[in-house]
Amino acid sequence: MGEARFINYEQTTRGIAKKRLKGTIWKWKDVLEKFKEIEADPRTGAARRVVALVDEDTGELMGTTPSNIVGPQLVKPGEHVEAHRHTFTAINIIMQGSGYTIVDGEKIEWERGDTVTTPAWCYHEHYNTGTEDAIIYSILDVPLMASQRTLIIEEPAGSEPKFVVRP
């Protein structure tokens, strides 16, 4: 059982942050190297070809920041990331390639430089229809949902939703 205690208002507004985060950098050339490592595993498909950028200062939340994680994803030409949904939102910036995303039945075509959002709990899937690898740079509020213990994923669509939190 957890330890119960009482604090006053001043303590609640001054004691929330655990520690001050430092600036952190992830070099794009290193992300591309990680993609090469992932591609070398023949079991890894488009839905799992993601390189998460984690700042160790975020602790068990494993985020790029305490409330977000950046997860660049590589989707090969002709590949399709199956329909799925989750309680976290995504801002998807297309760094390379072309294709489309279907969000709750609506087709959204994209190309390099475009930004596509996938709202929470909407079915969505990504298609690379181009001739080059698509790189989708996603900013996700996974750590926020995990900290609120509201991280749920249904992957693929129609499967039993999974409540994803540590016991």
Side-chain angles (χ1 to χ4, degrees), residues 52-67:
L53 310 183
V54 177
D55 183 331
E56 292 300 323
D57 285 350
T58 63
E60 68 180 9
L61 292 175
M62 295 189 296
T64 308
T65 70
S67 59

Side-chain angles (χ1 to χ4, degrees), residues 82-130:
E82 287 187 63
H84 62 285
R85 64 182 178 168
H86 35 68
T87 54
F88 53 91
T89 61
I91 300 169
N92 305 295
I93 302 163
I94 310 306
M95 305 267 302
Q96 178 179 298
S98 60
Y100 62 93
T101 296
I102 297 176
V103 179
D104 275 349
E106 183 179 345
K107 183 178 180 180
I108 303 169
E109 297 203 33
W110 45 256
E111 61 186 25
R112 181 186 175 132
D114 292 344
T115 301
V116 178
T117 61
T118 51
W121 211 240
C122 288
Y123 286 110
H124 59 281
E125 52 194 304
H126 307 293
Y127 292 82
N128 179 351
T129 58

Side-chain angles (χ1 to χ4, degrees), residues 5 7-20:
R5 65 185 181 125
I7 58 175
N8 64 31
Y9 174 78
E10 186 174 289
Q11 291 168 313
T12 64
T13 57
R14 295 195 180 156
I16 294 171
K18 294 287 185 189
K19 69 195 253 185
R20 185 177 171 97

Side-chain angles (χ1 to χ4, degrees), residues 3-73:
E3 181 181 327
R5 65 185 181 125
F6 298 95
I7 58 175
N8 64 31
Y9 174 78
E10 186 174 289
Q11 291 168 313
T12 64
T13 57
R14 295 195 180 156
I16 294 171
K18 294 287 185 189
K19 69 195 253 185
R20 185 177 171 97
L21 298 178
K22 300 178 291 297
T24 306
I25 185 168
W26 291 266
K27 294 288 191 175
W28 188 243
K29 65 179 180 165
D30 296 333
V31 172
L32 295 175
E33 280 301 313
K34 290 292 182 190
F35 277 142
K36 286 180 186 175
E37 289 175 25
I38 292 169
E39 283 184 273
D41 184 346
R43 299 170 297 166
T44 305
R48 296 288 176 253
R49 209 175 291 119
V50 174
V51 177
L53 310 183
V54 177
D55 183 331
E56 292 300 323
D57 285 350
T58 63
E60 68 180 9
L61 292 175
M62 295 189 296
T64 308
T65 70
S67 59
N68 293 291
I69 191 161
V70 173
Q73 180 175 25

